[in-house]
Amino acid sequence: MRWSTVVCRKLSRTVRGSVRSKTPAPDGKYEPPRAVVRVLDLPDEKPPAEPTVISYRAHSPGGVAVSAGDPAVGDAVVAWTGIDDKRSQVFLTRIGADGKKAAQKMLTHGKNGVSEGALASAPDSRATVCCTREAWA
């Protein structure tokens, strides 16, 4: 079983935009973190490990969706929205059986951004479907 959280932080702003920090955020960027997406693996027999950070740059209004991946492998897929080129986009992150981030791709490239993403998987199937909704201009 996996659990995801989105932690929103209040962003400090100046009249001209984001405040640039003199020290990097945990992801190495100098802009303030946005919403943080974390995934926690909850194994049946062992105590849970530390949560895995998926992103420090999520866009919280889009939410997070988690779906089981290949049952033989024990992985999962997380869909979440983040900002790319000042527009919200849907990202997919594969979580391995060890609960760690295995791969990540930006799924959408909409000119208006997206407002949300959702995941669904068929029982006894390796297929996972992601649906997105484009934001209005």
Side-chain angles (χ1 to χ4, degrees):
M1 179 179 178
R2 296 211 164 62
W3 183 265
S4 65
T5 60
V6 177
V7 178
C8 302
R9 298 173 186 244
K10 183 178 179 183
L11 298 177
S12 57
R13 299 272 182 192
T14 65
V15 175
R16 294 185 174 201
S18 294
V19 174
R20 186 163 172 88
S21 175
K22 294 180 190 211
T23 58
D27 62 354
K29 296 183 179 178
Y30 285 89
E31 292 81 22
R34 293 181 175 270
V36 179
V37 178
R38 293 184 180 100
V39 176
L40 177 63
D41 190 26
L42 301 171
D44 292 334
E45 294 89 31
K46 302 185 275 185
E50 288 295 312
T52 299
V53 174
I54 301 299
S55 177
Y56 290 96
R57 312 267 164 213
H59 185 59
S60 61
V64 174
V66 181
S67 179
D70 184 354
V73 177
D75 60 354
V77 178
V78 180
W80 53 278
T81 57
I83 302 296
D84 183 73
D85 196 22
K86 300 181 182 176
R87 292 179 177 87
S88 60
Q89 304 294 342
V90 172
F91 292 80
L92 294 178
T93 304
R94 186 169 65 86
I95 306 299
D98 60 354
K100 303 294 180 198
K101 182 167 40 173
Q104 185 167 289
K105 295 283 184 183
M106 186 167 76
L107 178 67
T108 60
H109 298 275
K111 64 180 181 174
N112 295 327
V114 295
S115 59
E116 64 185 304
L119 288 174
S121 63
D124 300 325
S125 172
R126 294 175 53 172
T128 300
V129 177
C130 181
C131 302
T132 63
R133 182 167 60 178
E134 189 168 344
W136 296 98

